[in-house]
Amino acid sequence: MSQHDASPLVEIRGLRFARGNRLIFDGIDLDIPRGKITAIMGPSGTGKTTLLKLIGGQLRPLEGTIRVDGEEVPRLSRVQLYELRKRMGFLFQSGALLTDLDVYENVAFPLREHTNLPEPMLRDLVLMKLQAVGLRGARHLMPSELSGGMARRVALARAIALDPMMMMYDEPFTGQDPISMGVLVKLIRTLNDALGLSSIVVSHDVGETVAISDYIYLLSGGKVVGQGTPDELGRSDSAWAQQFLRGLPDGPVPFHYSADDYAEDLLLGTEAGRG
Amino acid sequence: MLNALQQLGRTALGFFERLGRGHILFYYLLLGIPSVLVRPRLLLQQLFSVGVLSLLIILVSGFFVGMVLGLQGYNTLVDFGAEESLGTVVALTLVRELGPVVTALLFAGRAGSALTAEIGLMKATEQLSGMEMMAVDPIKRVMAPRFLAGFISMPLLAAIFSAVGVIGGYFVGVGLLGVDEGAYWSQMQAKVDLHDDIYNGVIKSLVFGVVVTWIAIFEGNDAVPTSEGVSRATTRTVVHSSLAVLGLDFILTALMFGDN
Ligand SMILES: Nc1ncnc2c1ncn2[C@@H]1O[C@H](COP(=O)(O)OP(=O)(O)OP(=O)(O)O)[C@@H](O)[C@H]1O
Ligand SMILES: [Mg+2]
């Protein structure tokens, strides 16, 4: 890994992606620098999760390039892609724990699959990761016995099990109480700085995200509508940035999924009822 | 009219697309088998849940089917004074036909539906994509062991079904209806042929095992990732694999026993 390389770890150019007839991304350019925490924010349903899946190679773009550590993700063969993914940690919005394994085995899973560590060393590693997320005591619980917030922390422990070069967090803060939220914010920062990771945090918890990120991209309507350090965005007079960071209901960001005119839609029903 | 045509075209295209995806999955399942063989523990787990857990229903059904065969066979044979042949009738019916077929139908209902539901739910809860993001191939890790377990379990279950059925026939024929015990066994021994009957029965059950497990895994993997999607997929597994078993049984029977 070329750690001190000045080139960005993830470089996205002219990305277009559609789900069915709906264009989710319409020409996105985005750089994720090495060793920093980059936040991607935007209203629900803009495609933040989709963007992470594109970076992870689970979805293929319609157009444009996605380069991770110099490798063009959509062009990689299956084997190359899997090699790359061993260096990526991905925290799913849902946690995605394996329900037939307990907490301990879930965290041990990537280690068992990809390494031949002797059992005592594996145990130490797993306990270290669980300790880091404060759930060492929960190691014997099954995923069905965890709360949503706990499940996400176990998933985080699992995601860092292989010491990846980059971490992608999909909504790490939702469902956390204030204490574990604080711990998690600190953890993401510490992991990033101590392990020399590069992190991408997708979130709409404005306060926490602004507090930990070094750089922020604002997405809306398939485009990047604002970017900058938290300070720059806070000071900018862009309507997008102000609406999103302050949580104002009115502004350029629509609250509604694109639809026909509301009044007309209601009238249609009345007419149909009469006809 | 045009709409109906369009609909027909869409349905046909959808069907062939699924057929194609099914075959691609089959290919990857076969490719995944070597990696299962080096991790026997994964296979053992699946042999337990696919095979051992199906055992009870196979034992009970086999016994009842054998008893019915004993009764029906006796009633028919006794008119010709041929009740001594009861053993042959029961054994041939089981080994050639009912053993493989009924076992496969029960297997589709018991193990196939469970496989589909399990894999479908893993997909719906993002466990499969989670594995992919950890650079673990779900086909190799999750599906291939189940596939191989189905392939191995089916012939064993069919053999157990037939064996228990023969005992059921014995119980009714010899125990209750008074057929000569020596005749029951010796006729069976003389008339059931290793090549023509047993091997062909085993081949049938191997084919059924592959087809049922393949359909079950495919439907799970192809399910719409919602509770409704998984429930539909489970139903489709049972319906499609039962129909496939019955259709294939006819073809295989025609090929194996057609010329005598
Ligand atoms: N499997 C799918 N099939 C079709 N459309 C999808 C699928 N998954 C997501 N979408 C659509 O893609 C859009 C983006 O979804 P995505 O999950 O990336 O949003 P998001 O920004 O992560 O939202 P949230 O903040 O609520 O998690 C949504 O509008 C959704 O309708
Ligand atoms: Mg999302």
Side-chain angles (χ1 to χ4, degrees), chain A residues 53 56 58 78 82 85-86 88 90 92-94 96-100 109-110 113-114 158 168, chain B residues 28 39 42 45 118 122 125-139 141 146:
Chain A
K53 289 194 169 168
Q58 285 203 314
R78 204 180 168 77
Y82 274 31
R85 281 182 186 164
K86 285 184 199 168
M88 292 176 166
F90 195 111
F92 276 77
Q93 203 162 351
S94 61
L97 294 179
L98 301 172
T99 45
D100 56 337
F109 182 82
E113 293 293 320
H114 295 306
R158 184 179 68 176
M168 293 185 264
Chain B
Y28 281 115
R39 295 179 68 179
L42 286 181
Q45 272 171 6
E118 190 185 13
M122 287 184 86
T125 53
E126 294 196 298
Q127 295 183 53
L128 297 183
S129 25
M131 273 190 199
E132 276 180 19
M133 283 309 299
M134 287 187 280
V136 176
D137 185 350
I139 295 184
R141 178 64 173 71
R146 285 163 171 79

Side-chain angles (χ1 to χ4, degrees), chain A residues 36-49:
Chain A
K36 299 259 167 62
I37 299 180
T38 308
I40 295 175
M41 305 177 78
S44 189
T46 17
K48 303 181 296 295
T49 303

